[in-house]
Amino acid sequence: MAGAGKKRAKEQRQAEQKSQHSKPAADKDATAYDGPSDRPGSSSGPLPNPGSSRGRAPSQAPSQSGRGGSRPPSSQGGPSSNQPMRDPARDVQQQPQKELNKRIDWGGQAFSYYADEPPTEKPVSGESLTVSRDIATLPDGSEVQGSRQNVLDVNSYRDQMPTQLMRRPGFGAAGKKIQLKLNSHRIESLPVDRFYQYDVQIGDGKEKRGLIKAVWGSDQLNKRLPGGRMDWLYDGNKLAWSTQALKGDLRFMVDLDAEPDRYVPKPASNIPVTVPARSKDPDRAGKNAHRVIIRKTTTIDLSMIPAFLNGKCDFGSGVIDAINFLDHLIREGPSKKHINIKKSYFDRDHGATFELGDGVEAMRGVYQSIRMAEGKRLVINVDVSHTTFWRRSSFPSIVNQLSHHKDFDSLQNNWRKDTSDPNSPTNHVFTTMKRLRKNHFLVEHKGRTEIESVRVWNCADILNKTAREYKFALFDKATGKAGAEVSLAEYYLKRYNVYLRYPLLPVVQTTKKRVVFPMELCNMIPGQRYPYKLNEGQTRNMIKFAATKPDVRQNGILAGTKMLNWGDDPYLKHYKLKIEAAPIVTAARLLDPPVIQMNRDTIKPGTRGSWDLRGKKFLEKNPAPLVYWGVAIITAPGMAQRQIQKPQVHAFIQRFIETYQSHGGEVLNKEPLICGPYPDPAKGVEDCFTAVGNKHQVRPQFLMFILPNAAAEVYLRIKKSCDCRYGVFSQCIQGAQAMKNDPQYHSNVCMKVNAKLGGTTSRALNATSKPNGMYFGKPTMIIGADVSHAAPGIGAPSYAAMTVSMDRYACRYAAGVQTNGYRVEMISTRNLRDMLIPLFRHWMTDVSGGNLPHHVYYFRDGVSEGQYLNVLKYEVADIKEIWKELGESRPKHEFLFTVVVAEKRHHIRFFPGANGDKNQNPLPGTIVDKDVTHPFENDVYLCSHRAIQGTARPTHYHMLMDEAQVKNDDFQRMLYDHSYQYMRSTTPVSLFPAVYYAHLASNRARAHEDISEGARKLRDSGPTQSTSERPVEEAKPLLEMINRIGMRWGMWYI
């Protein structure tokens, strides 16, 4: 069956090929309408492709989603073609196109593979797997029986991928040697005793953490543990460690009601209040008893760590268990004294706090983590840590701030959940209230007892009832029967003589059954983490608080080490673990900066980390002159007095044109249409697009929008319409900046506009650059990938983005985006195929002259160390399979892959002192590959940028696989040089551009969601569902991008 299917597919492709050779292809969907031509100086065809530096007309790409992503009904529309008037600008002669050469001049040498094999004439398929019932047809025409999921897993490379990461071939030697301090400390000596690991089960194994903590901290358990609690470490869940070797299981009961009296400080006074033991109540005897089972599971031998570091044993479970034990050992002491969040510790008495607004504050703490490092040693990484917490405040005050109501009266009248209208503003308030769930609070009012004043409650839910509406029957202790029914408001008036000022606020349900409180009496306990995404104002305040200069950060780290108090930590002393007090000083290197190539000029930035664009022309201008464009003014309610006026917009546009032309850009239409103002952004896009198209009788090339503010919803609506409804490049401008009309701002905008229209800002050259300035000597492709996830509690899907270099210098990148399930990190096979196949086809046509790539770099962002091998087994194997299909006619061709993970979420920092800049930040090009890198694997920390504020964070690059055997000096130089090629900046950036662009594209994917703005706002306003409740089905595909003018090959996301 498979052979027959393959034969039929081959015959069909040959017939299609003959049909294509017999007559010119006519793409009815390539032009906007049936009226005059879309190309200047031509009788037919689309606009020149902004994704190509040669202005070649793009081929129509398949759907971006490839999964049935719907296109709005009007996506086929455009300006009407019933106006026969021609615009004089249409007579501009098109620049001559270069003829596509099958043998491309790649760096001074004609490059074609296997000259005895003619280039393939088989049209490359961009389709994914075609499935009919239980028979799946692969792209080569063969058929496979099985379900869709099984077919998607058919990959000949899956089992060929390495199961171990590559070893470091050697250290880099390029650059100037310098000394710098790291925020890491060596471990002097390890414990010599043998330890035992135990499995701990409290109750039936499903108890909540609070109860587990209470049982483990009980006096009864301490008396039953051999050696006492000091001889035991506990992770707070299932694992414990001890020097004590139990001969069998340890089983006993702990009755929390039998615990002695506890003394707790009264809030806001620190006066101790006695909380009596519950066992004094005979009715509760035995009702709070919990079974404890402690069972030995394995023996921890710390000698496995030096044995592994010295190459005497493999990295197995013994090494992992030993590291896990040490990690919990250094946590045990600080976690008992401070607020512990993962590997960070916070204390209001030791760390600074900063109010972020809306009931949230930030606190500075300390982070510590143990790891094996180069040099056959263990190190502890110590850094400052910043986390957000709820402020001590009443529940109504917090909700009032989060929902931006002017007072409590306004709040209590506008919070109801409206099931009849999902877009009702009150639903947003009610959803915001849900953020209070799972937080502990105190109930404060007059007439309460001392016990009631310190009783801590946990918020389980916010009910859709007011204190007047919530009613219950009073229990009469004298008769033992239910009495009259009263409302919650009436109860507090009768019992405590408390008159509720805001009885129309909702009721707070606790985790204890049938225990509720009026919201106005509930007060948040400080020190509880705020786990939600910060709004724009809070984010700005957080940056101000966290972005500290290197000397301030070093002082913060020193304060953190004093807070950790390694020398006097009772557990470290008990187990004889010693840590050096002085931080590590390492031998780093400073790489030579590249030369920046502009159009006719070269710039030597040196170690300044920036260069001036004044008087310089872009390396490549827009391939097609800017003729068909317009400007739309968007307004916002309540901003009439600050709204920009048309004369100001005209002045801004004229200066933009002058600036763009001074940088080499070509603009033929110096009087674009200015439309608006529009209160509705979508209407503004529609009207401006139509007006420009009707004026010129051609699809617009570019639209500019003047926005009233930085509101994300306005920006997203504009990008959604431009990308997915009309297929036109767009640029948004802040109205305040347009009114300032600053030349520097114009240059920044021109870099972005030039990139979108097909130009290139600059490129990097160094002493090893190939002939004719080529960076790579053979056809080389660079791929970047990133997967972004929604903030905790938000029900939005994950977005996968992939970028592919679209020129021989790896300056320009095209991108594809798609939903990737819910919090799924590995990019699915279907997404890889749908995003990459069209981009690969275009790369072969427009970049390599039909050649297959000889070398493919795959840069992946955002994966943890535990997922490195999965990147190879799934993502890289899928990419190899795609290239195998596309290069089917050249079976001897070898694709060499270099796979690198780029990571910025780490805590390593450089403190170069006199070897840094004026702020003591590292200079661009500072690189570290010793002392804190992996003991054996090939990784490096590179600081390629100049820190504008705060302390510079280097990027960690970890090479997983290298089939091309790239020398480390060449690889590290490429990382640094390419940071100067970021298209919209005159400074080197901190992250390799392929990954940086993928990150931009994944953020832009939010605009392509097939969802209304009201539904998006409701979903993103607060917690909707837990991770366990999140749907397991595939996320809804993004809207399809319109590719009429080749947007998919251009830098639409920048």
Side-chain angles (χ1 to χ4, degrees):
M1 180 184 293
K6 186 173 182 178
K7 183 177 179 181
R8 287 195 302 270
K10 184 176 181 180
E11 292 173 351
Q12 183 179 357
R13 288 195 299 269
Q14 290 174 348
E16 291 174 352
Q17 178 182 330
K18 291 179 180 178
S19 174
Q20 292 171 356
H21 285 299
S22 62
K23 59 181 180 180
D27 186 357
K28 295 181 180 179
D29 209 27
T31 56
Y33 13 74
D34 298 330
S37 160
D38 276 0
R39 173 182 290 175
S42 173
S43 60
S44 64
L47 283 169
N49 176 12
S52 166
S53 61
R54 293 182 286 276
R56 184 180 301 109
S59 57
Q60 185 68 19
S63 163
Q64 172 178 317
S65 68
R67 292 185 279 163
S70 60
R71 180 186 296 183
S74 59
S75 63
Q76 298 294 340
S80 64
S81 57
N82 56 5
Q83 298 186 18
M85 182 180 297
R86 285 184 66 87
D87 190 274
R90 296 181 52 78
D91 297 327
V92 176
Q93 292 297 318
Q94 172 70 14
Q95 295 179 348
Q97 299 182 14
K98 295 180 181 180
E99 183 181 355
L100 177 62
N101 187 357
K102 294 300 181 183
R103 290 170 57 85
I104 193 165
D105 181 14
W106 194 285
Q109 55 180 318
F111 214 96
S112 64
Y113 299 103
Y114 308 109
D116 56 328
E117 297 179 8
T120 177
E121 295 182 348
K122 167 189 170 182
V124 185
S125 171
E127 296 299 323
S128 298
L129 303 176
T130 303
V131 178
S132 175
R133 295 190 178 92
D134 60 343
I135 301 296
T137 304
L138 297 177
D140 63 357
S142 60
E143 296 178 342
V144 178
Q145 186 169 7
S147 68
R148 185 178 186 88
Q149 184 58 47
N150 291 338
V151 172
L152 288 174
D153 289 336
V154 174
N155 187 317
S156 59
Y157 291 100
R158 283 272 190 269
D159 297 330
Q160 299 178 24
M161 302 309 295
T163 56
Q164 290 186 341
L165 304 182
M166 67 170 291
R167 293 292 182 108
R168 183 184 290 112
F171 294 102
K176 174 186 174 182
K177 294 182 179 179
I178 60 173
Q179 297 283 316
L180 57 80
K181 188 186 298 182
L182 300 168
N183 59 334
S184 297
H185 299 252
R186 295 185 179 95
I187 291 182
E188 289 186 56
S189 61
L190 292 173
V192 295
D193 295 330
R194 179 163 294 198
F195 302 93
Y196 304 94
Q197 181 172 300
Y198 293 89
D199 177 79
V200 178
Q201 180 177 326
I202 295 177
D204 59 3
K206 298 179 181 180
E207 275 69 16
K208 296 181 179 179
R209 294 241 174 169
L211 186 140
I212 292 175
K213 183 178 180 181
V215 171
W216 186 263
S218 65
D219 289 349
Q220 299 168 65
L221 183 138
N222 187 42
K223 293 176 183 177
R224 298 296 300 269
L225 289 177
R229 190 178 288 108
M230 179 58 70
D231 213 22
W232 289 76
L233 304 178
Y234 182 51
D235 73 346
N237 187 22
K238 294 284 292 181
L239 296 180
W241 299 266
S242 177
T243 56
Q244 304 291 327
L246 299 181
K247 295 183 179 179
D249 294 353
L250 186 61
R251 299 169 179 261
F252 54 91
M253 300 293 292
V254 171
D255 188 351
L256 292 179
D257 287 344
E259 285 293 290
D261 294 351
R262 294 176 290 121
Y263 294 89
V264 298
K266 187 175 180 180
S269 67
N270 288 327
I271 300 173
V273 177
T274 303
V275 179
R278 289 180 177 177
S279 59
K280 296 177 182 179
D281 183 356
D283 295 335
R284 288 188 52 84
K287 292 186 177 181
N288 203 11
H290 305 275
R291 180 180 58 189
V292 178
I293 302 175
I294 301 176
R295 179 182 295 113
K296 188 171 74 171
T297 57
T298 188
T299 301
I300 305 297
D301 185 359
L302 295 183
S303 66
M304 296 289 288
I305 296 176
F308 169 73
L309 293 174
N310 287 283
K312 296 179 180 179
C313 71
D314 294 330
F315 186 77
S317 59
V319 180
I320 295 173
D321 290 342
I323 292 292
N324 194 29
F325 165 75
L326 291 176
D327 185 58
H328 282 85
L329 173 58
I330 65 174
R331 289 190 200 185
E332 191 74 12
S335 64
K336 292 186 180 301
K337 298 185 295 182
H338 311 295
I339 302 171
N340 178 208
I341 299 177
K342 296 183 179 179
K343 297 183 179 181
S344 296
Y345 307 90
F346 301 88
D347 194 319
R348 298 182 67 87
D349 296 331
H350 293 82
T353 59
F354 188 80
E355 184 176 348
L356 302 181
D358 295 346
V360 182
E361 67 180 5
M363 191 184 304
R364 183 175 294 133
V366 61
Y367 165 93
Q368 69 169 352
S369 175
I370 191 169
R371 61 185 300 166
M372 294 183 290
E374 187 278 328
K376 301 178 181 180
R377 60 172 63 95
L378 286 169
V379 300
I380 291 186
N381 178 209
V382 185
D383 194 18
V384 296
S385 181
H386 301 89
T387 300
T388 53
F389 294 87
W390 292 100
R391 294 187 66 229
R392 175 175 172 80
S393 184
S394 69
F395 275 14
S397 178
I398 292 173
V399 175
N400 207 45
Q401 294 179 70
L402 288 173
S403 58
H404 301 115
H405 278 85
K406 60 181 180 180
D407 52 41
F408 291 169
D409 288 322
S410 173
L411 175 63
Q412 72 171 347
N413 292 315
N414 295 280
W415 64 267
R416 286 281 194 180
K417 182 179 181 180
D418 188 352
T419 56
S420 63
D421 182 10
N423 296 325
S424 172
T426 60
N427 283 341
H428 168 68
V429 179
F430 188 74
T431 304
T432 300
M433 288 180 174
K434 295 287 187 178
R435 296 188 183 187
L436 299 174
R437 293 184 300 183
K438 299 183 180 180
N439 284 293
H440 293 88
F441 64 93
L442 296 170
V443 178
E444 298 181 3
H445 57 81
K446 67 180 182 180
R448 57 202 168 123
T449 65
E450 281 193 330
I451 301 302
E452 289 175 333
S453 69
V454 296
R455 179 70 185 270
V456 176
W457 300 93
N458 192 352
C459 176
D461 202 0
I462 305 297
L463 304 183
N464 197 26
K465 288 185 177 181
T466 69
R468 286 179 178 173
E469 295 170 343
Y470 188 91
K471 296 184 178 182
F472 57 95
L474 285 175
F475 182 77
D476 191 341
K477 289 186 177 181
T479 63
K481 297 180 180 180
E485 190 176 71
V486 296
S487 69
L488 191 59
E490 293 170 338
Y491 170 79
Y492 273 88
L493 184 60
K494 292 181 179 180
R495 173 75 185 271
Y496 300 104
N497 195 28
V498 172
Y499 181 80
L500 298 182
R501 297 180 59 190
Y502 306 104
L504 298 183
L505 286 175
V507 171
V508 176
Q509 171 71 57
T510 69
T511 52
K512 189 173 180 62
K513 291 182 179 180
R514 296 185 296 278
V515 176
V516 297
F517 295 100
M519 178 176 278
E520 69 174 87
L521 304 181
C522 302
N523 290 270
M524 183 75 71
I525 295 178
Q528 299 182 87
R529 188 182 181 189
Y530 179 79
Y532 304 106
K533 183 178 180 180
L534 300 179
N535 60 36
E536 294 180 4
Q538 291 170 331
T539 301
R540 284 194 299 269
N541 290 331
M542 185 68 172
I543 293 174
K544 291 178 184 178
F545 177 60
T548 57
K549 291 184 178 181
D551 58 337
V552 178
R553 195 176 191 97
Q554 285 192 84
N555 292 334
I557 293 173
L558 181 61
T561 56
K562 291 180 180 179
M563 180 174 156
L564 294 172
N565 197 17
W566 292 326
D568 294 326
D569 186 301
Y571 290 92
L572 300 188
K573 280 185 173 181
H574 181 76
Y575 289 95
K576 301 180 177 61
L577 179 70
K578 294 183 179 180
I579 304 168
E580 286 186 2
I584 295 173
V585 177
T586 189
R589 291 174 290 121
L590 183 62
L591 301 180
D592 295 331
V595 173
I596 308 303
Q597 175 68 56
M598 305 297 290
N599 183 263
R600 296 179 181 176
D601 304 294
T602 57
I603 304 172
K604 295 182 178 180
T607 57
R608 298 189 308 272
S610 64
W611 57 94
D612 197 343
L613 203 58
R614 286 177 294 184
K616 306 294 190 302
K617 294 185 182 297
F618 295 140
L619 178 68
E620 293 181 359
K621 65 178 182 179
N622 47 323
L626 185 55
V627 182
Y628 317 122
W629 65 299
V631 183
I633 304 171
I634 309 300
T635 62
M639 296 188 63
Q641 295 181 349
R642 291 176 290 170
Q643 179 64 50
I644 190 171
Q645 303 301 312
K646 282 194 176 182
Q648 294 173 301
V649 174
H650 187 269
F652 176 84
I653 295 303
Q654 293 310 306
R655 176 162 285 185
F656 164 75
I657 294 172
E658 293 170 4
T659 306
Y660 191 27
Q661 288 179 322
S662 72
H663 292 313
E666 189 172 0
V667 183
L668 296 186
N669 180 7
K670 297 181 175 58
E671 293 291 340
L673 279 177
I674 299 178
C675 308
Y678 298 99
D680 182 3
K683 180 65 174 174
V685 177
E686 180 182 5
D687 284 2
C688 189
F689 182 89
T690 304
V692 174
N694 284 339
K695 177 181 177 181
H696 299 289
Q697 286 297 286
V698 67
R699 291 186 70 84
Q701 296 168 275
F702 172 71
L703 298 179
M704 183 178 286
F705 298 90
I706 312 296
L707 307 187
N709 50 43
E713 58 268 20
V714 175
Y715 175 85
L716 292 176
R717 290 190 69 187
I718 288 174
K719 293 301 182 181
K720 184 176 188 176
S721 292
C722 290
D723 296 349
C724 304
R725 183 173 181 132
Y726 298 104
V728 61
F729 290 103
S730 59
Q731 178 64 47
C732 292
I733 305 292
Q734 289 298 315
Q737 294 290 348
M739 286 187 277
K740 291 179 183 178
N741 215 4
D742 179 63
Q744 179 61 48
Y745 181 77
H746 278 284
S747 289
N748 294 337
V749 171
C750 286
M751 284 189 286
K752 299 176 70 175
V753 171
N754 189 61
K756 292 174 182 178
L757 296 180
T760 303
T761 303
S762 60
R763 62 186 174 100
L765 301 174
N766 62 40
T768 63
S769 294
K770 304 301 180 289
N772 297 331
M774 296 299 299
Y775 203 95
F776 305 106
K778 297 178 180 179
T780 301
M781 170 185 285
I782 298 181
I783 305 172
D786 181 39
V787 177
S788 61
H789 307 290
I794 304 299
S798 300
Y799 306 111
M802 305 198 75
T803 59
V804 175
S805 58
M806 282 296 165
D807 60 16
R808 290 172 285 170
Y809 319 115
C811 292
R812 294 186 55 79
Y813 286 80
V817 292
Q818 191 52 265
T819 54
N820 198 63
Y822 293 88
R823 308 200 76 80
V824 178
E825 185 56 51
M826 291 296 107
I827 303 176
S828 69
T829 299
R830 182 183 300 173
N831 278 345
L832 283 164
R833 297 180 64 86
D834 291 341
M835 288 189 285
L836 290 182
I837 287 178
L839 298 178
F840 286 176
R841 293 177 63 196
H842 188 77
W843 186 90
M844 291 178 63
T845 302
D846 201 68
V847 180
S848 70
N851 285 312
L852 297 170
H854 179 75
H855 189 188
V856 177
Y857 283 96
Y858 182 50
F859 283 87
R860 183 63 158 88
D861 182 29
V863 293
S864 63
E865 291 184 17
Q867 296 173 313
Y868 285 176
L869 289 176
N870 284 341
V871 170
L872 299 179
K873 183 176 181 180
Y874 296 104
E875 295 181 357
V876 177
D878 285 338
I879 297 172
K880 279 176 168 278
E881 185 72 18
I882 292 171
W883 273 121
K884 176 184 175 182
E885 296 170 12
L886 298 184
E888 186 180 11
S889 65
R890 304 172 192 177
K892 296 180 182 179
H893 179 72
E894 184 179 17
F895 303 96
L896 301 178
F897 273 71
T898 299
V899 183
V900 183
V901 170
E903 181 63 55
K904 292 203 70 175
R905 293 183 179 178
H906 60 80
H907 285 270
I908 296 295
R909 297 295 184 273
F910 301 166
F911 298 103
N915 291 317
D917 62 15
K918 63 180 181 181
N919 294 323
Q920 298 184 6
N921 262 314
L923 295 170
T926 302
I927 194 166
V928 170
D929 56 4
K930 297 180 179 179
D931 290 320
V932 289
T933 52
H934 194 278
F936 310 115
E937 294 168 8
N938 196 20
D939 66 329
V940 67
Y941 290 89
L942 171 64
C943 184
S944 58
H945 68 298
R946 183 190 67 173
I948 299 175
Q949 61 177 343
T951 303
R953 183 195 328 226
T955 299
H956 182 218
Y957 295 98
H958 198 130
M959 186 181 288
L960 311 186
M961 181 177 78
D962 182 25
E963 297 172 334
Q965 298 182 358
V966 181
K967 295 180 180 178
N968 261 358
D969 275 337
D970 293 340
F971 171 68
Q972 293 167 10
R973 186 184 298 277
M974 185 196 75
L975 292 176
Y976 181 42
D977 290 349
H978 280 233
S979 70
Y980 285 77
Q981 295 188 164
Y982 186 62
M983 197 69 74
R984 65 181 194 181
S985 176
T986 55
T987 62
V989 290
S990 62
L991 188 61
F992 192 75
V995 181
Y996 207 138
Y997 292 141
H999 182 67
L1000 293 180
S1002 67
N1003 287 341
R1004 179 71 164 272
R1006 293 185 66 236
H1008 297 181
E1009 273 194 285
D1010 191 4
I1011 185 175
S1012 68
E1013 288 303 314
R1016 185 204 303 276
K1017 183 179 293 187
L1018 181 63
R1019 182 195 66 189
D1020 295 351
S1021 62
T1024 55
Q1025 51 196 186
S1026 66
T1027 303
S1028 60
E1029 296 170 340
R1030 199 168 284 120
V1032 296
E1033 68 270 10
E1034 187 177 4
K1036 189 176 182 180
L1038 298 175
L1039 291 172
E1040 176 187 347
M1041 270 183 62
I1042 306 302
N1043 201 38
R1044 298 280 185 82
I1045 60 173
M1047 278 191 65
R1048 288 205 62 192
W1049 322 134
M1051 302 186 74
W1052 51 270
Y1053 52 86
I1054 200 169

